[in-house]
Amino acid sequence: MLELKVVEPGTVHLTGRLDAAEADRAMAVFEPLPGPLTADCEGLEYISSAGLSVLVVTHKRLMASGHKLRIVNLQPRVRNVFKYAGLDRLFQVE
Amino acid sequence: MVEGRFPRSFDSLAAISTLIDGFAVRENMSPDISFDLQLAVEELFTNLVKHHPESREPILLQLERVPDGVRVTLEDFGVEPWDIAEAVATARAPLPDQGPGGRGLRLVRLITDEIRYQHDRGHSTITLIKKVDT
């Protein structure tokens, strides 16, 4: 189960699991948000390639308008998935 | 050994995760191993669902402790041949300006130790080994 909260303009808090079952719902939350954006992943316990794709698509959309997507507070296991996928070089991961 | 049959839907992922977590706890495996098993199984399961719309049969998942790790078996019924082990072996991460294809199978290659594929008369068996330090 994934919980997404837009707690302040430009910041989305993710809690739970961002897997293939939740990717469409996550995309629906990110899609209308203007940049710059921060994804606070402190509560994100799990991510798969489907979840990574949501963030990649959002990043590309923001880049097209001169903004970026920051990824912050990754837990170690989730950070490893970014690293294995080579996305730690694409995103600003803090 | 634990096993479950899961409908070919992404909605099955929550139940798959629960099965793997329970297995890992029972076998005294670390949360890191459970995480990697869940990730590998999700990537394989979702690929089977996407690549085999011709089947309506549930997918059988089995997890078994073996001397040096865990053996995971996914059995898919009523499907055409598609060597997912070969796809895993050759998967490359997509460039940032390309689509997501290949990223998940590349993850499987990086977090597991062995993957085998067999197909016989509409029945595919994918066997995956994840080594575990004892």
Side-chain angles (χ1 to χ4, degrees):
Chain A
M1 189 66 183
L2 177 71
E3 187 177 349
L4 298 125
K5 281 187 185 168
V6 184
V7 292
E8 58 200 77
T11 301
V12 181
H13 283 235
L14 295 91
T15 304
R17 301 173 60 87
L18 181 44
D19 61 15
E22 299 285 358
D24 286 350
R25 197 163 63 83
M27 184 58 85
V29 170
F30 276 101
E31 209 159 28
L33 298 177
L37 264 182
T38 297
D40 188 328
C41 298
E42 185 175 11
L44 188 66
E45 300 164 358
Y46 174 90
I47 193 167
S48 66
S49 67
L52 292 175
S53 293
V54 172
L55 300 177
V56 170
V57 168
T58 301
H59 173 77
K60 287 167 59 180
R61 176 176 63 80
L62 296 180
M63 288 284 284
S65 56
H67 296 295
K68 63 172 70 170
L69 174 65
R70 287 172 65 228
I71 311 281
V72 301
N73 295 327
L74 286 174
Q75 295 186 21
R77 292 185 199 111
V78 175
R79 182 181 290 270
N80 282 341
V81 180
F82 277 77
K83 190 172 77 177
Y84 294 150
L87 296 181
D88 54 336
R89 298 187 300 271
L90 174 65
F91 293 114
Q92 184 178 343
V93 177
E94 300 167 19
Chain B
M1 186 181 77
V2 298
E3 69 174 40
R5 289 180 186 272
F6 298 97
R8 4 181 20 97
S9 160
F10 294 172
D11 290 339
S12 295
L13 293 173
I16 288 173
S17 166
T18 300
L19 181 82
I20 295 172
D21 248 344
F23 171 80
V25 168
R26 196 188 76 184
E27 298 291 340
N28 293 316
M29 291 177 183
S30 72
D32 288 348
I33 296 296
S34 179
F35 187 102
D36 284 356
L37 290 173
Q38 290 176 51
L39 182 57
V41 170
E42 175 183 336
E43 300 300 347
L44 294 173
F45 182 89
T46 54
N47 266 278
L48 293 177
V49 171
K50 284 186 279 191
H51 277 84
H52 295 299
E54 71 273 20
S55 175
R56 295 183 182 278
E57 297 293 321
I59 294 170
L60 174 64
L61 168 65
Q62 296 176 317
L63 296 110
E64 184 177 11
R65 193 75 161 95
V66 291
D68 60 347
V70 180
R71 177 165 55 224
V72 179
T73 309
L74 286 152
E75 293 189 51
D76 203 4
F77 303 89
V79 293
E80 298 293 322
W82 175 57
D83 189 344
I84 195 169
E86 175 66 18
V88 167
T90 57
R92 297 287 177 267
L95 297 172
D97 58 347
Q98 293 176 325
R103 190 174 288 129
L105 296 180
R106 181 170 184 267
L107 289 174
V108 174
R109 191 178 74 222
L110 292 174
I111 62 176
T112 62
D113 296 286
E114 185 181 341
I115 180 166
R116 297 191 299 269
Y117 170 85
Q118 288 181 302
H119 184 89
D120 182 33
R121 289 172 286 183
H123 174 200
S124 286
T125 304
I126 298 133
T127 305
L128 183 154
I129 302 292
K130 170 78 176 169
K131 291 184 179 170
V132 178
D133 292 334
T134 52

